[in-house]
Amino acid sequence: MTAHVIADDAEALVVAAALAEEFRAGAAERDAERRLPRAELDRLSASGLLAVTVPAEHGGADVSTRTLAEIFRLLGSADGSLAQIPQSHFAYVNVIRRQGTDEQRKFFFAELLSGRRFGNAQSEAGTRHVQDIRTRLEPRPDGSYVLEGVKHYSTGALFADWIPVLARAEDDDLHVAYVPRDAPGLTVIDDWDGMGQRTTASGTVRLDAVPVPADRVLPHHLTFQGPQLHGAVAQLLHAAIDTGIAGAALAEAAEFVRTKSRPWFESEAETAAEDPLLVQRFGELALQVRTAEALLREAARTVDAARPHLTDDTAAEASIAVAAAKVRAAEAAVDVAGALFEVSGTRSALNSPNLHRYWRDARTHTLHDPTRWKIQHIGRYVLTGTRPPRHGLL
């Protein structure tokens, strides 16, 4: 596989905007038919966007967090399913940046620059809670490992070249094993049947005595033993997807009202777009989207500011800024995507235009982790200066 190598932030944004327009054109049909976006992901890989966080010393653009968030906002505005697929990809690139050896970085960064994709095998169903990871890395006499376990919600795994697997070793510490998609004993099952994000193929990964060389295992538990931005960056990308969905839903609603909706007879307006109550409602919805976009930019700026001077305090400030952006983005995505029908009228609820995909994608994606806990951490930080915990979801 070969891929274009993006030079800098400016080029990354140009490429992302062009791909977003391309992906937007077929998004409704892909969702309606549950047609998996293999061709689109190949275009994404070939574009070089999946390697934009590779460090400059390894040949990458090493773009800012603000640029990365904008890439995801653009993709989310085009297709809320497709944008979700590479989210874990970048999270596990960050694990290599922080915990990889020189040889591991050299190998995997070269893979990324050639267009290889990371999936994920992280979450497990039926456990006590989301951080109750039971997949095991069993050591072998030669220093290698064997993986045993079952993973669910494995977004990107079906389309991946490498599948990062979150597992516990003998000492119960968390590690990430980077496993080739075609490794013996590894099975990816396309059994995702969510009402939204229908084409993410976020199904099941089965690991039956999967062999893993020692140099493909990274000590992820060390990520959380000091100040870290791993969780902040991962959550920021989720917020960017939601912000993109909100903006796209607002634009779709406006287009529908301008071209298809009829004015309510009591308004005495000539067109729906001149109905004063609709004008008011669109103003309110636009404020929600603009607020989400502004908080997303501010959170990304805060992460970028913390990176060169990472301390407990700067990491906490970044996590709190991202938490605020995530809360507002989730609310905007669900509210605006729901209001699309309120402002557009009965015809917008027909299946043929598939406008309900915005709400289905928003409602499904915002279930990833509860915003109510983020509000709790924000409140404690404001009242008592309590720093948020280091668990990867803040």
Side-chain angles (χ1 to χ4, degrees), residues 234-253:
Q235 288 289 297
L236 186 73
L237 302 187
H238 285 303
I241 294 167
D242 289 337
T243 302
I245 293 172
L250 181 63
E252 192 85 68

Side-chain angles (χ1 to χ4, degrees), residues 35-69:
R35 189 172 72 243
L36 300 182
R38 295 181 186 275
E40 288 76 15
L41 286 170
D42 287 343
R43 289 278 295 119
L44 188 62
S45 289
S47 75
L49 279 181
L50 296 182
V52 293
T53 58
V54 170
E57 60 267 28
H58 289 271
D62 201 7
V63 301
S64 68
T65 308
R66 180 166 179 174
T67 293
L68 187 62

Side-chain angles (χ1 to χ4, degrees), residues 149-181:
V150 180
K151 298 289 188 176
H152 299 269
Y153 313 121
S154 303
T155 305
L158 191 68
F159 314 108
D161 299 290
W162 292 89
I163 301 179
V165 180
L166 198 60
R168 296 195 183 277
E170 274 189 307
D171 53 10
D172 240 23
D173 285 334
L174 280 177
H175 292 69
V176 178
Y178 289 75
V179 182
R181 169 69 175 79

Side-chain angles (χ1 to χ4, degrees), residues 250-298:
L250 181 63
E252 192 85 68
E255 177 65 14
F256 199 96
V257 167
R258 283 193 298 265
T259 59
K260 296 182 177 67
S261 296
R262 297 181 296 180
W264 185 245
F265 69 94
E266 291 178 285
S267 72
E268 299 184 356
E270 288 296 316
T271 67
E274 297 171 295
D275 182 331
L277 298 185
L278 279 182
V279 171
Q280 175 73 19
R281 188 69 176 116
F282 269 94
E284 293 166 351
L285 297 174
L287 283 174
Q288 284 191 270
V289 173
R290 284 173 176 259
T291 302
E293 291 172 346
L295 283 173
L296 182 71
R297 289 191 297 269
E298 174 62 15

